[in-house]
Amino acid sequence: MIQSKRMIAGIFAALGLSAAGALAADEREAAAKALVTASLPVWLAQAGAFTADTTAIKTATERSAHGLASTLPETCDVARMNRDLCGVKLVRIPSLSMAPGLLEKDTVAVLQKDFGVVRRGDVLVHNAKYQGATSLGITRVIGMPGDTVEIRAGDVLVNGTPFAREATGETYGDDIFSAAVVRETTPEGRSYTIAMPDPRPQTQADNFGPVTVPAGKYFVMGDNRYNSLDSRFPDMFNEDGFVAQSDVVGVAASVLAANDHARIGLTLR
């Protein structure tokens, strides 16, 4: 028995893991399933994607739980999930400002405490004021405290370095609005998709700044670049255009439910 335990420990060590770490991963998976199994049918109905197909429900549950488990804090197990949802906040996306990655009525998991530090490229959930009205905002971090941010012909530059962009060949929208789906990559290598109409409309969002992000604040933008009220509009967004660290509710971690089942389980960090 002792020899078997040593052999198992050796296998984990060779993989760069520990038995305790593997157990923790199993516990997070169980915790995620405890939440998702009970709630997914309701989330799907809210997203307009309810189905009575038990096979589809099972597959969606597995995808949702696996995506959530991969982002949960290491202290999360079933007991803590039942007690405080492991610090997770459930948020329904209220608009199309984060399309094409996040769509209206998606349900996402938001880490309120255990996300470590905010990084460029994170999707923030935060308190916001839109033309004086207080609401919950969901935007992507573009500029960190101390950064200089500018927009030139719709392209993003931070500290003089442009974000890389690559066409995916996909489109987002309908007969009324259509946009190219473009993969944008930060200087640190984090990538995500944005919606860019072609031709681009001429707005103040095309040429902005440069501005320096104050200490304790973030410069943010929506992924649906021409359908988002964000840091490019300081007269209408948060009075100065920035998101204060004190207004951050959390960081979006994974897509729990969506109208398109293929997006369920998508991790956002």
Side-chain angles (χ1 to χ4, degrees):
M1 185 68 173
I2 294 175
Q3 185 175 2
S4 297
K5 288 183 178 180
R6 287 175 178 171
M7 184 179 297
I8 292 172
I11 293 172
F12 276 104
L15 294 174
L17 302 172
S18 68
L23 179 60
D26 290 343
E27 290 175 347
R28 291 195 296 275
E29 193 82 29
K33 286 182 178 179
L35 174 64
V36 171
T37 300
S39 306
L40 185 63
V42 174
W43 297 337
L44 290 178
Q46 291 172 338
F50 175 77
T51 176
D53 185 334
T54 56
T55 299
I57 288 288
K58 180 180 178 181
T59 300
T61 298
E62 291 174 350
R63 290 172 61 94
S64 182
H66 186 68
L68 174 61
S70 68
T71 62
L72 287 174
E74 293 183 359
T75 57
C76 185
D77 57 13
V78 174
R80 186 183 171 193
M81 181 63 74
N82 291 333
R83 184 172 67 253
D84 67 358
L85 295 184
C86 295
V88 170
K89 181 180 179 67
L90 307 179
V91 173
R92 287 183 66 201
I93 302 299
S95 71
L96 293 172
S97 66
M98 288 299 291
L102 293 175
L103 301 183
E104 189 174 12
K105 299 181 181 179
D106 284 356
T107 296
V108 299
V110 176
L111 301 180
Q112 298 182 90
K113 295 180 294 185
D114 296 294
F115 55 80
V117 298
V118 172
R119 299 177 293 166
R120 191 190 326 279
D122 279 342
V123 176
L124 287 189
V125 176
H126 54 88
N127 297 313
K129 290 183 179 179
Y130 297 99
Q131 296 178 300
T134 301
S135 166
L136 198 65
I138 301 173
T139 51
R140 191 176 297 277
V141 177
I142 300 297
M144 301 291 289
D147 283 344
T148 297
V149 181
E150 57 184 314
I151 314 295
R152 291 291 170 259
D155 294 328
V156 179
L157 295 89
V158 173
N159 300 324
T161 301
F163 284 21
R165 286 185 179 169
E166 181 182 3
T168 65
E170 301 175 0
T171 58
Y172 158 77
D174 50 32
D175 294 337
I176 299 175
F177 173 82
S178 181
V181 176
V182 176
R183 181 158 296 281
E184 183 171 83
T185 303
T186 71
E188 297 84 4
R190 299 190 71 187
S191 64
Y192 43 85
T193 54
I194 61 174
M196 296 291 288
D198 186 20
R200 300 178 189 176
Q202 299 299 308
T203 74
Q204 75 178 71
D206 276 318
N207 293 284
F208 175 85
V211 297
T212 299
V213 184
K217 297 192 176 185
Y218 304 104
F219 186 100
V220 299
M221 295 172 66
D223 290 346
N224 194 350
R225 290 293 161 82
Y226 290 86
N227 187 19
S228 173
L229 188 57
D230 50 43
S231 292
R232 296 168 293 174
F233 305 92
D235 53 332
M236 295 184 285
F237 178 73
N238 282 352
E239 299 177 349
D240 63 357
F242 301 105
V243 173
Q245 291 175 348
S246 58
D247 283 329
V248 173
V249 174
V251 175
S254 69
V255 178
L256 297 173
N259 185 279
D260 177 7
H261 283 209
R263 291 192 303 109
I264 295 175
L266 175 70
T267 55
L268 304 172
R269 294 201 91 201

